[in-house]
């Protein structure tokens, strides 16, 4: 009864399940506290206290009609607030029309891809990548074109340039990046922009900014809207406000796009017919006043420092992440899946790079308690020390 | 081309609806909200039950750590358990938490279900008139919609359904109580449908019934909705709490898979995959936590029934031909003019009454009135309907 395509897609990722089940087995055997689970990007951080207070305030407000349908693009006052935040941040004439509230960034990316793609259109994705991008693109008849990044996971402009051709409709970038934690700097993004401008085709830049506020070391996040005209940014409040289960985010369509209105109309329509209808009402109201807030970034930075130090001191090769809550070390042996199994023997759960299109690496999601990171140190050390058998 | 050709074409198809809405908005600006009778939207003005709001407040005042985090894609197990208990009692079938999948309303539920089931070119039968979005839902996932006319009373026409079945048929999507007609399919009709489908099953062709149960609790005149899970084996029901608990903006509902479907495990895995791939990921966490306890509740059905009575009587007195609805909050009268779009526009201009032309539901010559509005709106619109009747309905 299941769609063939879905069965195939699911089969392709069956090893993830096997790994997950092994993790569950280990937890049962040794107890949760004795297993270091770094597999999930499901932050343990709680939403900011003021946000929780605001949520109660909204629900007790007795305002009529607050759980009804609203326009598919979301509440006007919420979109106006977000537009204001964008005007201030970018200096560009954003209005509420340029903002569409969505069911998280996963919902937002699907909406925008459905709005843009015709069957056979290509979307460039930079490898390593969040695998769901492939499914998002294929949902709407598109074809994913994978382009490798450089050894430090930064943009390989030459590779990107070579991948652009007549069928190219968009490129998705995700910075700060899942799985590498890398942030693209202004210079390389300007380089990307000039490649896109030079191509004789309008290529949209879809900027997945789910981790935008989670950046370290006082780095300033480059503003994509100023760098490239045809930019559509997708934001989620899953990470910065720690509300992943509530499914809230938005699409920001650059006012610099010629005929932006066409894309806006298509996105509103797609939001409806994909079955989202609108982003959850109460969460829209909630995030309105929290555009400048975020969870405690310093806390994530401390965790980043701790895990990075542990890995380096144990002898792993790794690029120091500047954002998000992932780190993507090189696997000490070529077969990353085998190494993940090896780590499991040391009670460490992580995801092989294969799951992100890049063999020979593995991903650690350090959005866990600091204690888990600290206690894992000797296990990481032992694991790399004892790979002689391979 | 800037935007997708498919989307562009689909948007053009419905462009006239948009233009009408815009005219309506314009009219409200000129005459004031109070003087425009807007029956065009299925957006109930009713508030959710007070206990539901209280439950939300209690949940937030006594927060569980991690209550806004991701959970398994199919939803919280304890909530699915609560729903399964209700389903066992309501349908007298051995539902467990495993048969329940929490979804972002029924629109979200139907989309992940269709994506999980359809192969490219598979056909889904939809009785007409129908909720237009079904077409897009089906097409989004590579399927083809096959509409089949209902009879004069908007009841299922078995001969036509039988004739529409091909080797490509994967499912029939029914919606009872129905949008836009308010009709409820009786037990006998559904048994006839089951008979046809069972015949195909015997020949090795499985056809599923996808039952859009968004209006399940909105039935009038003490009617009991037939137990579809007992009538046919291959049933998947999609429920929304948009209407019965009046929280449409919050996007919460669930899919219930018949315990008689053997592949329930693989269907659940497919649904999990589809909800991740389509970007739903999971149904909103906060509302999942409360709705498990409200499976037996609903907003005041008598209130809707009184509105149904008033609008129906008004229409009949005005001379309209109209099937009496037994559920939902829609009524679907015949247009006195063959070109119902023209009639709807006249009604808008002359009486400031907004309705949706039947072609918006694949059935020209009719129009839909959504009476989920304050009672006094309906009362004050009565004269307008009567005037339209006097002007445009030929007597005898």
């Amino acid at each position: 009864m299941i769609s063939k395509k879905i069965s195939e897609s699911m089969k392709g990722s069956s090893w993830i399940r096997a790994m997950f089940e092994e993790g569950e087995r280990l937890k049962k055997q040794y107890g949760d506290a004795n297993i270091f689970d770094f597999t999930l990007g499901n932050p343990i951080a709680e939403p900011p206290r003021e946000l929780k207070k605001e949520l109660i305030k909204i629900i007790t407000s007795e305002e009529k009609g607050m759980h009804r349908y609203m326009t598919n693009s979301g509440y006007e006052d919420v979109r106006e607030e977000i537009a204001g935040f964008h005007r201030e941040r970018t200096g560009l004439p954003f209005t509420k029309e340029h903002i569409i509230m969505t069911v998280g960034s996963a919902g937002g990316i699907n909406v925008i891809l459905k709005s843009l793609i015709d069957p056979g259109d290509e979307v460039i994705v930079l490898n390593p990548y969040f695998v769901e991008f492939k499914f998002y693109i294929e949902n709407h008849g598109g074809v994913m074109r994978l382009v490798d990044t450089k050894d430090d996971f930064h943009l390989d402009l030459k590779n990107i340039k070579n991948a652009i051709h007549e069928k190219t409709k968009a490129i998705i970038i995700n910075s700060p990046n899942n799985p590498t934690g890398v942030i693209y700097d202004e210079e390389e993004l300007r380089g990307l922009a000039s490649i896109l401008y030079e191509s004789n085709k309008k290529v949209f830049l879809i900027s997945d900014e789910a981790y935008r506020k989670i950046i370290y070391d006082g780095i300033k996040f480059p503003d994509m809207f100023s760098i490239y005209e045809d930019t559509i940014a997708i934001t989620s409040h899953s990470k910065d406000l720690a509300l992943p289960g509530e499914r809230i985010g938005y699409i920001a369509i650059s006012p610099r796009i010629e005929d932006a209105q066409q894309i806006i109309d298509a996105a509103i329509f797609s939001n409806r017919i994909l079955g989202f209808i609108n982003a959850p009402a109460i969460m829209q109201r909630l995030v309105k006043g929290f555009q400048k807030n975020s969870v405690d970034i310093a806390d994530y930075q401390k965790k980043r420092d701790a895990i990075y130090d542990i890995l380096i001191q144990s002898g792993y090769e790794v690029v120091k992440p500047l954002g998000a809550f992932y780190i993507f070390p090189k696997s000490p042996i070529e077969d990353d899946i085998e190494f993940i199994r090896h780590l499991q023997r040391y009670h460490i759960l992580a995801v092989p790079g294969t799951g992100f299109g890049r063999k020979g690496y593995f991903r650690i999601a350090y959005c866990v308690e600091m204690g888990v990171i600290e206690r894992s140190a000797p296990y990481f050390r032992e694991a790399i020390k004892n790979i002689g058998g391979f | 081309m800037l935007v997708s050709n498919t989307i562009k074409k689909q948007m053009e198809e419905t462009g006239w609806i948009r233009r009408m809405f815009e005219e309506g908005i314009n009219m409200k600006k000129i005459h004031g909200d109070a003087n425009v009778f807007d029956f065009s939207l299925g957006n109930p003005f009713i508030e959710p039950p007070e206990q539901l709001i209280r439950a939300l407040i209690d949940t937030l005042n006594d927060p569980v750590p991690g209550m806004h985090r991701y959970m398994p894609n199919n939803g919280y197990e304890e909530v699915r358990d609560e729903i399964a208990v209700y389903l066992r009692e309501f349908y007298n079938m051995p539902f467990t938490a495993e048969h329940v999948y929490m979804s972002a309303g029924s629109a979200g539920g139907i989309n992940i279900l269709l994506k999980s089931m359809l192969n490219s070119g598979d056909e889904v039968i939809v009785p007409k008139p129908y909720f237009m979005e079904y077409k897009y839902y089906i097409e989004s996932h590579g399927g083809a919609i096959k509409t089949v006319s209902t009879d004069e009373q908007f009841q299922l026409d078995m001969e036509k359904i039988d004739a529409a079945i091909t080797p490509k048929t994967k499912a029939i999507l029914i919606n009872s109580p129905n949008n836009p007609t308010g009709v409820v399919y009786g037990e006998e009709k559904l048994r006839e449908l089951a008979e046809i489908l069972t015949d195909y099953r015997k020949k090795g062709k499985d056809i599923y019934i996808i039952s859009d149960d968004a209006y399940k609790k909105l039935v009038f005149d003490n009617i009991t909705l037939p137990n579809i899970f007992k009538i046919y084996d291959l049933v998947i029901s999609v429920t929304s709490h948009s209407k019965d608990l009046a929280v449409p903006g919050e996007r919460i509902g669930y899919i219930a898979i018949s315990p008689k479907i053997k592949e329930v495990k693989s269907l659940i895995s497919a649904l999990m995959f589809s909800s991740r791939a389509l970007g739903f990921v999971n149904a909103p966490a906060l509302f999942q936590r409360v709705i498990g306890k409200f499976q037996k509740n609903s907003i005041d059905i008598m209130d809707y029934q009184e509105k149904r009575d008033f609008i129906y009587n008004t229409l009949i007195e005005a001379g309209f031909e109209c099937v009496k609805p037994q559920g939902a909050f829609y009524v679907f009268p015949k247009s006195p003019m063959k070109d119902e779009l023209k009639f709807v526009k006249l009604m808008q201009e002359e009486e400031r009454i907004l309705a949706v032309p039947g072609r918006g539901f694949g059935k020209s010559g009719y129009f839909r009135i959504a009476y989920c509005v304050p009672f006094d709106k309906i009362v004050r619109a009565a004269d307008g309907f009567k005037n339209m009747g006097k002007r445009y309905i030929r007597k005898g």
Side-chain angles (χ1 to χ4, degrees):
Chain A
M1 75 181 295
I2 308 301
S3 152
K4 285 176 207 145
K5 216 166 120 187
I6 301 276
S7 302
E8 273 159 33
S9 302
M10 290 197 312
K11 241 184 268 157
S13 50
S14 57
W15 57 269
I16 295 185
R17 188 170 198 94
M19 202 153 281
F20 179 76
E21 275 162 12
E22 174 61 11
E24 291 300 297
R25 197 190 61 75
L26 287 171
K27 281 183 193 167
K28 262 190 200 140
Q29 189 177 343
Y30 296 102
D32 273 12
N34 299 308
I35 298 296
F36 310 107
D37 188 350
F38 297 110
T39 55
L40 290 176
N42 190 8
I44 53 129
E46 288 291 325
R49 193 176 311 207
E50 317 88 81
L51 182 126
K52 290 184 161 186
K53 257 190 243 157
E54 179 66 17
L55 185 52
I56 294 177
K57 215 171 101 191
I58 292 170
I59 290 182
T60 47
S61 75
E62 292 185 12
E63 194 184 317
K64 297 279 179 220
M66 59 184 269
H67 305 288
R68 290 181 206 160
Y69 291 123
M70 76 298 306
T71 30
N72 300 125
S73 52
Y75 290 115
E76 285 193 10
D77 60 325
V78 176
R79 288 186 289 124
E80 178 49 44
E81 185 75 24
I82 294 174
F85 171 68
H86 278 67
R87 281 196 297 273
E88 199 180 300
R89 197 166 69 88
T90 66
L92 294 168
F94 277 93
T95 68
K96 60 178 186 295
E97 310 304 326
H98 299 102
I99 308 295
I100 296 166
M101 304 306 294
T102 62
V103 170
S105 56
I109 297 172
N110 268 286
V111 162
I112 224 50
L113 290 172
K114 185 165 181 75
S115 305
L116 294 176
I117 290 178
D118 279 308
D121 279 352
E122 290 188 4
V123 178
I124 294 175
V125 172
L126 306 173
N127 193 350
Y129 69 108
F130 178 52
V131 273
E132 316 273 294
F133 285 155
K134 176 169 185 276
F135 305 127
Y136 298 169
I137 294 164
E138 290 176 355
N139 279 338
H140 314 296
V143 177
M144 179 176 74
R145 180 111 174 183
L146 271 184
V147 171
D148 278 335
T149 51
K150 296 192 293 193
D151 283 346
D152 61 0
F153 308 123
H154 279 269
L155 302 178
D156 187 327
L157 296 179
K158 221 169 110 195
N159 276 355
I160 294 173
K161 190 172 181 175
N162 289 336
I164 296 174
H165 63 114
E166 206 190 317
K167 282 272 176 200
T168 310
K169 186 82 192 200
I171 174 169
I172 299 180
I173 63 169
N174 170 224
S175 168
N177 184 264
N178 175 12
T180 65
V182 156
I183 297 180
Y184 305 141
D185 60 43
E186 173 130 7
E187 197 189 323
E188 64 189 309
L189 290 170
R190 290 212 178 274
L192 173 64
S194 45
I195 287 172
L196 300 181
Y197 283 134
E198 281 161 22
S199 73
N200 46 14
K201 174 109 208 311
K202 194 181 187 85
V203 179
F204 290 97
L205 190 135
I206 299 173
S207 179
D208 176 359
E209 300 186 353
Y211 303 96
R212 189 179 67 214
K213 287 191 199 151
I214 304 175
I215 50 180
Y216 310 134
D217 309 332
I219 282 181
K220 200 175 158 281
F221 185 74
D223 167 35
M224 273 326 299
F225 292 108
S226 313
I227 294 172
Y228 186 62
E229 249 175 46
D230 298 314
T231 293
I232 298 165
I234 320 281
T235 298
S236 158
H237 291 301
S238 296
K239 322 293 174 183
D240 60 4
L241 299 177
L243 293 168
E246 307 296 356
R247 314 306 302 127
I248 185 76
Y250 59 86
I251 300 172
I253 294 167
S254 175
R256 296 170 75 198
I257 298 176
E258 207 185 318
D259 290 328
Q261 191 59 43
Q262 272 190 56
I263 298 175
I264 294 167
D265 290 342
I268 293 170
F269 182 75
S270 297
N271 202 32
R272 218 180 77 210
I273 67 166
L274 281 173
F276 298 115
I277 315 285
N278 56 248
I282 201 157
M283 293 300 148
Q284 288 191 39
R285 283 174 193 267
L286 178 62
V287 300
K288 179 186 174 186
F290 290 85
Q291 288 306 306
K292 291 179 181 170
N293 301 54
S294 71
V295 291
D296 184 2
I297 304 299
D299 180 63
Y300 275 130
Q301 183 167 328
K302 273 184 215 145
K303 289 173 180 170
R304 190 271 321 251
D305 290 341
I307 189 81
Y308 179 74
D309 289 346
I310 289 169
L311 290 167
I312 290 293
Q313 280 160 21
S314 309
Y316 294 86
E317 230 182 278
V318 64
V319 173
K320 189 173 187 175
L322 297 178
F325 37 62
Y326 306 107
I327 186 165
F328 201 60
K330 202 163 185 174
S331 164
I333 54 172
E334 215 181 299
D335 185 343
D336 52 322
I337 297 182
E338 197 47 50
F339 184 69
I340 290 297
R341 290 202 187 107
H342 179 70
L343 279 177
Q344 285 182 339
R345 281 176 219 132
Y346 295 85
H347 295 190
I348 293 170
L349 312 182
V351 185
T354 304
F356 303 93
R358 180 73 68 106
K359 287 190 168 62
Y361 291 81
F362 63 100
R363 187 191 77 171
I364 292 167
Y366 56 83
C367 47
V368 297
E369 300 285 359
M370 189 58 146
V372 175
I373 300 173
E374 284 166 349
R375 281 185 288 120
S376 72
Y379 296 86
F380 274 110
R381 247 190 333 262
E382 285 303 303
I384 196 167
K385 227 200 282 175
N386 298 323
I387 47 169
F390 288 102
Chain B
M1 188 57 73
L2 202 56
V3 301
S4 154
N5 287 315
T6 321
I7 293 289
K8 205 162 187 190
K9 217 161 47 191
Q10 288 174 333
M11 284 171 72
E12 273 160 17
E13 275 171 24
T14 52
W16 58 271
I17 296 187
R18 211 189 141 121
R19 283 190 291 279
M20 260 189 56
F21 281 152
E22 276 161 10
E23 271 168 55
I25 290 168
N26 207 14
M27 191 166 268
K28 285 179 194 168
K29 272 185 195 149
I30 298 167
H31 301 280
D33 266 10
N35 301 309
V36 176
F37 307 101
D38 189 349
F39 297 105
S40 64
L41 291 174
N43 190 7
F45 102 102
I46 282 180
E47 293 295 321
E50 226 166 275
Q51 310 96 285
L52 181 82
I53 302 299
R54 224 171 295 139
L56 274 173
I57 295 168
D58 290 347
T59 306
L60 291 171
N61 278 329
D62 185 16
V64 186
M67 61 181 282
H68 303 289
R69 295 167 70 180
Y70 292 123
M71 78 293 305
N73 300 131
N74 52 343
Y76 294 114
E77 189 168 356
E78 59 271 28
V79 177
R80 288 184 288 115
D81 252 331
E82 285 170 327
I83 291 173
V85 169
Y86 158 79
L87 292 172
R88 279 202 294 276
E89 201 181 305
F90 191 84
Y91 293 110
N92 190 23
M93 297 271 286
F95 282 98
T96 67
E98 184 191 45
H99 301 98
V100 179
Y101 191 104
M102 303 308 297
S103 70
S106 55
I110 295 173
N111 268 284
I112 59 173
L113 183 60
L114 291 172
K115 181 170 178 71
S116 299
M117 294 179 70
L118 294 183
N119 288 315
S120 174
D122 277 354
E123 293 171 359
V124 180
I125 293 175
V126 176
K128 190 166 67 176
Y130 68 107
F131 178 50
M132 203 60 146
E133 311 281 286
Y134 288 159
K135 175 171 184 281
Y136 305 125
Y137 298 170
I138 294 165
E139 288 175 355
S140 278
H141 311 298
I145 184 170
K146 195 138 180 185
T147 61
V148 169
S149 291
T150 50
D151 67 17
E152 290 284 292
Q153 299 297 304
F154 306 123
Q155 290 288 343
L156 300 177
D157 183 327
M158 299 310 155
E159 268 175 39
K160 290 203 173 106
I161 290 173
D162 199 2
I165 294 173
T166 76
K168 284 268 177 204
T169 307
K170 183 81 184 206
I172 173 164
L173 173 52
I174 60 173
N175 171 223
S176 165
N178 184 264
N179 175 11
T181 65
V183 153
V184 174
Y185 302 147
E187 169 121 17
E188 207 176 308
K189 283 282 171 196
L190 292 174
R191 286 207 180 278
E192 283 172 44
L193 174 65
E195 234 171 82
I196 294 174
L197 301 182
T198 305
D199 275 350
Y200 280 93
R201 255 197 115 182
K202 282 180 191 153
K203 288 183 254 172
K205 170 83 191 148
D206 284 351
I207 301 171
Y208 294 84
I209 292 183
I210 299 174
S211 182
D212 178 355
D213 290 345
Y215 302 96
K216 185 172 80 181
K217 288 188 197 153
L218 272 58
V219 285
F220 310 138
D221 311 328
N222 294 317
I223 283 182
T224 10
L225 215 57
N227 185 344
I228 186 128
F229 286 101
K230 287 277 186 197
I231 294 173
Y232 185 59
D233 285 355
L234 306 179
V235 172
I236 301 160
S237 141
V238 185
T239 300
S240 156
H241 291 301
S242 296
K243 322 294 176 184
D244 59 6
L245 298 175
V247 290
E250 307 297 355
R251 315 309 304 131
I252 187 79
Y254 62 85
I255 299 170
I257 301 163
S258 172
K260 287 187 183 159
I261 292 178
K262 291 201 181 68
E263 300 101 315
V264 59
K265 271 216 170 92
S266 61
L267 181 56
I268 292 287
S269 311
L271 288 168
M272 287 176 139
F273 176 85
S274 297
S275 60
R276 283 199 313 269
L278 281 172
F280 291 99
V281 187
N282 56 248
L286 177 61
F287 271 83
Q288 279 196 50
R289 283 185 184 273
V290 291
I291 56 109
K293 294 178 183 60
F294 289 86
Q295 290 306 305
K296 290 183 180 169
N297 301 55
S298 77
I299 39 93
D300 184 2
I301 305 299
M302 277 317 286
D303 178 67
Y304 275 128
Q305 184 168 323
E306 279 163 25
K307 287 173 182 169
R308 189 272 320 255
D309 288 340
F310 190 89
I311 189 89
Y312 176 73
N313 292 336
T314 302
L315 290 166
I316 294 296
E317 272 172 47
F320 287 92
E321 253 180 74
C322 183
V323 173
K324 188 171 185 177
Q326 293 185 299
F329 38 62
Y330 307 107
V331 57
F332 201 60
K334 199 165 187 172
S335 160
M337 290 175 187
K338 214 169 164 191
D339 182 356
E340 90 284 5
L341 182 57
K342 197 171 152 198
F343 180 74
V344 165
K345 277 182 182 157
L346 285 170
M347 197 154 65
Q348 188 165 320
E349 282 158 21
E350 294 172 13
E351 300 297 338
R352 298 191 303 273
I353 292 173
L354 313 185
V356 184
R359 67 191 62 182
F361 306 93
K363 181 104 178 161
S364 295
Y366 292 79
F367 60 98
R368 188 191 76 172
I369 293 167
Y371 56 82
C372 49
V373 299
F375 204 98
D376 75 295
K377 263 267 150 115
I378 307 175
V379 173
R380 287 193 299 122
D383 283 342
F385 284 114
K386 285 175 188 159
N387 292 339
M388 289 307 285
K390 264 181 225 153
R391 254 173 258 142
Y392 299 103
I393 299 175
R394 226 170 289 153
K395 295 281 171 336

